[in-house]
Amino acid sequence: MSIKRTIAGRAAALAVLGLLLATDLVQAQEPLRVGLILPYSGPFADLAAQMDYGVQVYVKQHGDVVAGRKVEILKRDTGGPNPDIAKRLAQELIVRDKVDLITGVLFTPNAMAIAPVVTEAKKPFVIMNAATSIITTRSPYIVRLSFTLPQVVSPLGGWAAKNGIKKVYTLVSDYGPGHDSEIFFKKAFTEAGGQIVGEVRVPLRNPDFTPYVQRIKDIKPDAVFVFLPSGEQPVTLLKSAVEKGLLADGIRLIGSGDLTEDGVLEGMGDPALGVITSGHYSYAHESPENAAFVKAFEATFPNGPRPNLTAIGAYDGMAAIYAAIKAQNGKLAADPTIDFLKTYKAMSPRGPIEIDPETRDIVQTIYIRKVERKAGKLVTVEFQSYPKVKDPGK
Ligand code: PHB
């Protein structure tokens, strides 16, 4: 009895000592530093919040010590699509704050401005959203965990032409992802027999959709193909389409997943019903991984939005960063990180993902989805899938 007690007592004391030593080791080493660049303020702050929440949920689930090394996240605000600010923030994070890796980045122009900075400094840059095809060609230190517009809209072009949509008018935001969307939707759609009857590029900041909607109504296409950055703009466009009677005329809205993203979908109301989009993530995606992700997201932010396509990019980006740290036993050295991420594969809440080692871009399933009301909620219901889609833009 007393011997047993002594052994148990010693084992407990040793366990405590082990824990203290482990804690000391973590404290003795400098933390790994990750610079997270997002538009935390300004008109796109809701999307930055989505991405920040995606990062936070991952860290909450997996802790902030990876392979014995503390991971510190340094957050910086670009205030929107501001390439000069993004570039300066990346430089400061690298030179002054000594980050090991840069991540985040909602907007293409910001990612393009950061690319030469990470090349010169030899720092890995994990893109969690910015989705113009060309970005990954701008630095060998870039790996993308989000999506590309050509990857998402090409399947939709083929699907639309084969499903009764013959004439399409395209309306896209006048910058990288909009141009990519317009070009690649048109290519897939016309190759499958569809006809483009008009196209317009609208300003990235504060577009007023009324004149465009009026013009489209006069032309009477079967559908309008849309790319707008996620968030408020798709909501405003839908409102104009209702007010001007575009939908009442039977003209349909189709587009990339940004058009019906989950953060704003509920607020769009019944006019969103029947809108067809193609995308890599839906909150309504049915899988055990997504059920667990949604549950963790909602538990962490009970008053927050539903996780959307930008939140999943951030969550998966963080998972990839943690995997790279583990693979290097607590380090984030530049070239080994890129070498590791080039062949990274994971089961994401969106479905299976992998990185194409040739392009350092993501390969994933793209789904065609329809907005429906299910159990009282507006959701994008996936009904057709295209596995292992690469970025056709490169
Ligand atoms: C981009 O700038 O690459 C971008 C921004 C918002 C989106 C999609 C792409 O919803």
Side-chain angles (χ1 to χ4, degrees):
M1 173 74 181
S2 67
I3 291 178
K4 265 191 193 164
R5 253 197 211 153
T6 317
I7 291 175
R10 286 200 178 147
L14 278 175
V16 170
L17 196 68
L19 205 68
L20 286 175
L21 279 175
T23 318
D24 274 359
L25 269 177
V26 169
Q27 280 166 358
Q29 278 186 310
E30 283 277 294
L32 289 170
R33 295 193 181 90
V34 170
L36 176 61
I37 300 179
L38 290 172
Y40 282 105
S41 64
F44 297 94
D46 286 353
L47 291 175
Q50 280 272 358
M51 294 178 69
D52 191 84
Y53 291 177
V55 168
Q56 285 192 53
V57 170
Y58 192 84
V59 173
K60 188 176 165 203
Q61 285 177 322
H62 298 88
D64 63 355
V65 175
V66 189
R69 203 76 190 271
K70 175 127 172 107
V71 178
E72 199 180 301
I73 299 175
L74 289 80
K75 302 181 182 183
R76 297 291 181 268
D77 175 18
T78 60
N82 289 316
D84 293 344
I85 295 177
K87 184 173 184 174
R88 179 173 54 74
L89 292 174
Q91 277 164 340
E92 284 174 7
L93 279 165
I94 291 169
V95 175
R96 202 180 59 197
D97 302 307
K98 309 256 178 290
V99 296
D100 300 283
L101 178 147
I102 299 276
T103 192
V105 186
L106 179 72
F107 284 108
T108 289
N110 295 357
M112 299 288 271
I114 294 169
V117 177
V118 295
T119 305
E120 205 192 316
K122 296 192 170 39
K123 293 291 173 195
F125 179 15
V126 172
I127 296 205
M128 292 175 163
N129 186 69
T132 303
S133 175
I134 202 172
I135 293 172
T136 47
T137 69
R138 289 300 168 98
S139 170
Y141 288 94
I142 293 181
V143 179
R144 177 157 39 200
L145 269 296
S146 50
F147 66 105
T148 81
L149 267 316
Q151 177 184 52
V152 164
V153 305
S154 297
L156 182 65
W159 180 89
K162 290 182 197 108
N163 285 275
I165 297 175
K166 296 296 166 208
K167 292 182 178 179
V168 164
Y169 194 104
T170 62
L171 181 150
V172 301
S173 196
D174 191 6
Y175 80 121
H179 303 171
D180 267 8
S181 306
E182 179 195 275
I183 292 164
F184 282 87
F185 174 81
K186 183 174 176 175
K187 183 169 185 289
F189 182 60
T190 54
E191 278 173 10
Q195 189 194 349
I196 300 290
V197 292
E199 44 191 59
V200 64
R201 295 178 173 185
V202 306
L204 169 58
R205 285 190 181 79
N206 311 319
D208 169 11
F209 294 106
T210 330
Y212 308 119
V213 169
Q214 186 57 56
R215 170 144 182 74
I216 295 170
K217 188 174 146 80
D218 296 342
I219 291 178
K220 296 191 177 55
D222 298 323
V224 190
F225 166 83
V226 180
F227 167 80
L228 292 171
S230 299
E232 280 315 306
Q233 292 191 18
V235 180
T236 318
L237 172 71
L238 190 65
K239 266 191 200 138
S240 299
V242 171
E243 278 163 21
K244 291 275 158 206
L246 193 86
L247 301 181
D249 280 3
I251 299 171
R252 299 170 64 183
L253 286 185
I254 61 175
S256 71
D258 311 79
L259 180 60
T260 57
E261 56 95 352
D262 282 289
V264 297
L265 183 57
E266 201 60 65
M268 287 179 147
D270 283 352
L273 285 169
V275 173
I276 303 275
T277 55
S278 54
H280 60 290
Y281 179 69
S282 164
Y283 158 88
H285 177 67
E286 287 184 8
S287 73
E289 291 82 12
N290 192 41
F293 168 66
V294 168
K295 195 172 163 202
F297 197 99
E298 290 179 344
T300 312
F301 303 105
N303 300 316
R306 285 184 203 166
N308 76 356
L309 75 167
T310 63
I312 200 66
Y315 183 82
D316 287 337
M318 215 54 215
I321 294 168
Y322 270 38
I325 299 173
K326 272 192 201 139
Q328 295 170 71
N329 281 321
K331 294 200 178 71
L332 255 184
D335 291 318
T337 297
I338 297 300
D339 285 345
F340 171 81
L341 292 177
K342 270 182 180 172
T343 56
Y344 179 70
K345 273 192 171 77
M347 184 46 113
S348 156
R350 64 180 108 168
I353 58 172
E354 61 184 85
I355 301 298
D356 176 354
E358 299 291 310
T359 60
R360 286 164 280 101
D361 227 329
I362 192 161
V363 180
Q364 59 189 331
T365 307
I366 299 301
Y367 309 86
I368 311 286
R369 311 92 50 89
K370 185 178 186 180
V371 178
E372 291 176 16
R373 197 173 280 288
K374 273 194 161 178
K377 286 182 184 168
L378 282 179
V379 283
T380 50
V381 179
E382 296 163 349
F383 61 89
Q384 194 158 321
S385 59
Y386 298 75
K388 288 199 175 223
V389 180
K390 286 189 177 189
D391 172 37
K394 287 189 281 289

